[in-house]
Amino acid sequence: MGTIDWDAVQTADQVQRGEISAAECVEAALSRIDNTNPTVHAFLHVDADRALARARFMDHNLTRETKANLPLAGVPVAIKDNMVTTDMPTTAGSKILEGFRSPYNATVVELLEQAGAIIVGKTNMDEFAMGSSTEHSAYGVTRNPWDLTRVPGGSSGGSAAAVAARMVPLALGSDTGGSIRLPASYCGVFGIKPTYGRVSRYGLIAYASSLDQIGPLARSVRDLSRTLHLIARHDAKDATSLDANTILEAPIPTALQSLRIGLPEEYFGEGIDVRVRTVIEKTLDRLRESGVDLIPISLPHTRYAIATYYLIAPAEASSNLSRYDGVRYGLRVVGDDLIHMYQNTRQEGFGPEVKRRILLGTHALSAGYYDAYYLKAQKVRTLIRQDFDNAFEKVDLIVTPTVADLPFKLGERDLDPLQMYLTDIFTVTTNLAGLPGLSQPIGLVDGLPVGLQWMGPPLAEDRVLSAASALEAILPSPEWPLSGGIQ
Amino acid sequence: MNLTEKEVRHVARLARLAISSVELSEATQALGRVLDYIDLLNELDTDAVPPTTHVEAIETVWRQDRVVPSLSPEEATANGPQVSSQMFVVPKILDGGEG
């Protein structure tokens, strides 16, 4: 066991107690990145010098008392490349932002660094977070550390792969339709999308503003709690940021039997890979054996969620992405006049999936189609929310598979957008309803990880984290991949 | 609902995308398939259902009208592809636009 095997809490504890220096932790992470990133390609950018300088500063200049007040002292952290950083490039996986250097830091970046975290780099992602496989990055694919011929999931695939391959114990991702939980499931790590509005999105490059939310990926539940405790704060710079109770620094020990846990029939029907189903059923049996009463419930509008999402998200994206026009930042491709400059810039700067979604969203919002598409989707969104309101009158939490299948092969779905879209069927619902959702690794089948999803009512992160922590305690410790045979 | 290449070309123009003819035919097919799938929503009678524009209960958020430090003009224009005297330079707007 070396430092790369520690979770963030253990790393910070050891640094705080002076058992190990922050520089040693960062050096170990950087060396692991050197060894594994060329094959996994989780990072788009690594700033070793800056990370080491900050770690050495912490080691040499901070007293033990000061470090004791830094909950992430010396913890190497990766940031998805759609959160802006002044000291590193930010591309959002797009050619249109190549060379962009933000004049300010995202709030989450500031909060993590204030807590002693050492940001080592920026992770790969589907361009503008549009995708479920990280294959839609303009800078190459990320490979699943469990099987390098398979996708890590997306869009936060770089962050999930970096945590799974033990390059870093902790990473931030963003989740618009499942982009934290899906890669967490495919890579066998923990990931949580908090309640909409929990974490400030100041400095998060917008995809679909009524759905986007930032959250952590890690190798333990307690790491998710500690990170959310630090970053789920009200921020005046984000008008959608909630002024709510703080998430507890550690999950409260909870007896699972005291919770009413619902199993929605719509998430256990046809279409689930039989191997995934076996692992999920085994975990549900363990819950039953420990005295949990699993209550059958129904979320009847689940089957409409993907259709709803693929109107709302592209519509919002088409508006958000209008800012990439070659005027103020990013790529500019010359044209005869302003309109042609816009068109040439966007044509060259955006990849095929981003263009598809811009076209779909523009169509859904265009004259004559708005009511039939966008307004219709917003109404169905209300029905999906009401499903959850009704369910949470009967149960405290809901449990589902995170995703219906195992990580698929690279290239398997990128020719069929609809097939790719359907990957998110179990995760988009919490985005549409604004609820917290957590994916937890529960075991392997054929050497590939399976994830279980917890969903809770708005602001019930503490309950979700406590339940996940209690389940974590009764399951065998998760395994971590060799990352393509690289020890 | 079937989508024609003409409609997609119109949408591409609205979205300021100069898509190629190959992309146009691919996009028409892909979008058609997605829109066919989205037709699923028409199973639902939503006449009496209010739309959800936002999941939060919060209303318009106000702040004090107070001057706080912000980016300098140099910082704000530092990423501009073409900048002159703290202004973004763009091709001429009048004459020659496609209208």
Side-chain angles (χ1 to χ4, degrees):
Chain A
M1 289 281 282
T3 61
I4 63 159
D5 298 300
W6 296 347
D7 69 356
V9 168
Q10 187 177 358
T11 308
D13 285 354
Q14 299 284 328
V15 171
Q16 287 170 346
R17 280 196 259 129
E19 301 285 338
I20 191 169
S21 68
E24 285 173 282
C25 296
V26 170
E27 277 163 8
L30 291 170
S31 143
R32 179 73 179 166
I33 291 169
D34 274 347
N35 288 332
T36 51
N37 200 52
T39 35
V40 175
H41 194 236
F43 282 90
L44 290 178
H45 182 84
V46 175
D47 193 339
D49 292 344
R50 179 180 182 275
L52 279 172
R54 291 181 71 89
R56 289 189 187 122
F57 179 87
M58 183 179 291
D59 291 333
H60 298 144
N61 299 9
L62 302 190
T63 63
R64 188 173 285 203
E65 290 69 37
T66 310
K67 278 189 274 192
N69 289 320
L70 298 176
L72 294 176
V75 175
V77 171
I79 305 285
K80 186 178 182 180
D81 203 30
N82 59 352
M83 296 172 221
V84 300
T85 43
T86 56
D87 294 355
M88 289 178 235
T90 303
T91 67
S94 182
K95 225 167 97 179
I96 213 161
L97 277 177
E98 195 165 6
F100 174 71
R101 190 58 72 103
S102 171
Y104 65 96
N105 276 322
T107 295
V108 285
V109 167
E110 297 277 343
L111 289 172
L112 286 180
E113 290 201 324
Q114 281 164 23
I118 311 284
I119 295 171
V120 296
K122 309 288 290 284
T123 56
N124 199 13
M125 55 182 284
D126 286 297
E127 184 176 0
F128 288 108
M130 298 180 189
S132 308
S133 69
T134 315
E135 292 171 293
H136 297 316
S137 167
Y139 303 100
V141 301
T142 296
R143 293 169 185 274
N144 192 313
W146 290 95
D147 177 347
L148 298 173
T149 66
R150 293 177 189 274
V151 302
S155 63
S156 312
S159 287
V163 172
R166 288 167 293 158
M167 300 187 207
V168 285
L170 182 66
L172 289 186
S174 67
D175 190 315
T176 306
S179 282
I180 289 173
R181 292 159 289 156
L182 171 65
S185 179
Y186 275 4
C187 291
V189 301
F190 296 86
I192 182 168
K193 179 203 90 73
T195 305
Y196 181 80
R198 263 295 192 183
V199 178
S200 168
R201 298 179 299 172
Y202 180 72
L204 172 70
I205 292 178
Y207 161 23
S209 303
S210 78
L211 303 163
D212 296 339
Q213 183 56 199
I214 293 172
L217 297 104
R219 292 197 301 272
S220 67
V221 176
R222 63 182 189 171
D223 281 6
L224 298 183
S225 290
R226 185 170 290 194
T227 309
L228 282 182
H229 174 71
L230 296 165
I231 65 171
R233 301 289 166 106
H234 177 254
D235 180 11
K237 291 174 179 163
D238 173 0
T240 60
S241 158
L242 294 172
D243 198 356
N245 62 314
T246 311
I247 293 170
L248 295 170
E249 187 166 11
I252 337 162
T254 302
L256 283 166
Q257 309 90 284
S258 66
L259 292 167
R260 296 171 300 166
I261 297 174
L263 298 182
E265 55 174 321
E266 293 80 5
Y267 289 68
F268 291 89
E270 284 171 31
I272 300 180
D273 184 292
V274 63
R275 296 166 296 173
V276 171
R277 187 187 293 274
T278 308
V279 180
I280 296 275
E281 287 296 342
K282 215 167 94 184
T283 305
L284 296 180
D285 284 343
R286 285 195 94 114
L287 287 171
R288 289 190 189 99
E289 282 158 21
S290 44
V292 178
D293 191 15
L294 297 172
I295 304 161
I297 57 166
S298 176
L299 298 165
H301 295 94
T302 302
R303 65 186 298 249
Y304 304 103
I306 290 283
T308 304
Y309 176 84
Y310 277 98
L311 288 170
I312 290 174
E316 294 181 6
S318 72
S319 167
N320 276 326
L321 271 61
S322 64
R323 71 191 62 171
Y324 304 102
D325 57 6
V327 174
R328 288 152 301 163
Y329 37 70
L331 182 75
R332 172 184 289 192
V333 179
V334 293
D336 294 342
D337 55 24
L338 189 69
I339 298 281
H340 286 95
M341 187 275 281
Y342 290 158
Q343 289 183 336
N344 295 345
T345 298
R346 292 163 63 80
Q347 169 64 10
E348 195 152 314
F350 290 138
E353 180 59 24
V354 171
K355 285 184 204 168
R356 267 196 291 275
R357 294 201 197 184
I358 290 175
L359 290 171
L360 181 56
T362 306
H363 181 61
L365 292 175
S366 64
Y369 293 101
Y370 181 92
D371 285 3
Y373 287 135
Y374 190 62
L375 186 64
K376 180 79 183 183
Q378 288 184 315
K379 289 177 165 195
V380 180
R381 187 175 183 182
T382 303
L383 297 174
I384 291 167
R385 290 177 65 195
Q386 286 169 352
D387 282 356
F388 282 104
D389 289 346
N390 295 336
F392 286 123
E393 282 177 15
K394 297 187 209 88
V395 297
D396 302 307
L397 291 171
I398 294 171
V399 156
T400 75
T402 306
V403 51
D405 55 12
L406 295 166
F408 49 92
K409 293 269 188 186
L410 289 157
E412 191 179 309
R413 290 191 192 165
D414 61 356
L415 292 177
D416 184 354
L418 185 58
Q419 192 62 27
M420 185 76 90
Y421 297 172
L422 292 169
T423 311
D424 291 333
I425 191 142
F426 296 155
T427 49
V428 283
T429 46
T430 58
N431 299 85
L432 291 167
L435 309 174
L438 182 153
S439 182
Q440 168 161 24
I442 54 168
L444 300 176
V445 58
D446 294 347
L448 296 169
V450 175
L452 178 101
Q453 177 174 233
W454 296 90
M455 303 170 171
L459 303 176
E461 282 85 356
D462 286 324
R463 194 189 298 164
V464 169
L465 290 158
S466 287
S469 175
L471 177 60
E472 184 186 27
I474 61 171
L475 291 178
S477 295
E479 297 172 56
W480 310 114
L482 298 177
S483 304
I486 302 156
Q487 286 282 357
Chain B
M1 190 187 294
N2 262 337
L3 208 57
T4 64
E5 289 197 1
K6 194 178 160 211
E7 284 174 296
V8 176
R9 193 179 292 117
H10 168 70
V11 172
R13 209 172 60 85
L14 292 177
R16 303 288 185 243
L17 290 169
I19 60 173
S20 68
S21 54
V22 177
E23 282 177 307
L24 180 67
S25 114
E26 278 171 6
T28 306
Q29 217 175 0
L31 297 186
R33 231 165 94 67
V34 174
L35 291 176
D36 280 348
Y37 177 77
I38 283 169
D39 261 349
L40 188 67
L41 299 185
N42 291 322
E43 288 178 14
L44 295 169
D45 178 0
T46 51
D47 286 351
V49 181
T52 292
T53 54
H54 221 263
V55 291
E56 290 177 338
I58 54 176
E59 300 290 319
T60 302
V61 177
W62 299 94
R63 63 167 174 81
Q64 293 294 315
D65 186 14
R66 207 171 48 222
V67 177
V68 291
S70 72
L71 299 177
S72 67
E74 290 78 12
E75 288 170 311
T77 55
N79 279 289
Q82 202 186 337
V83 174
S84 170
S85 315
Q86 298 173 3
M87 289 181 285
F88 298 112
V89 179
V90 295
K92 67 179 176 184
I93 293 171
L94 298 176
D95 298 328
E98 64 179 81

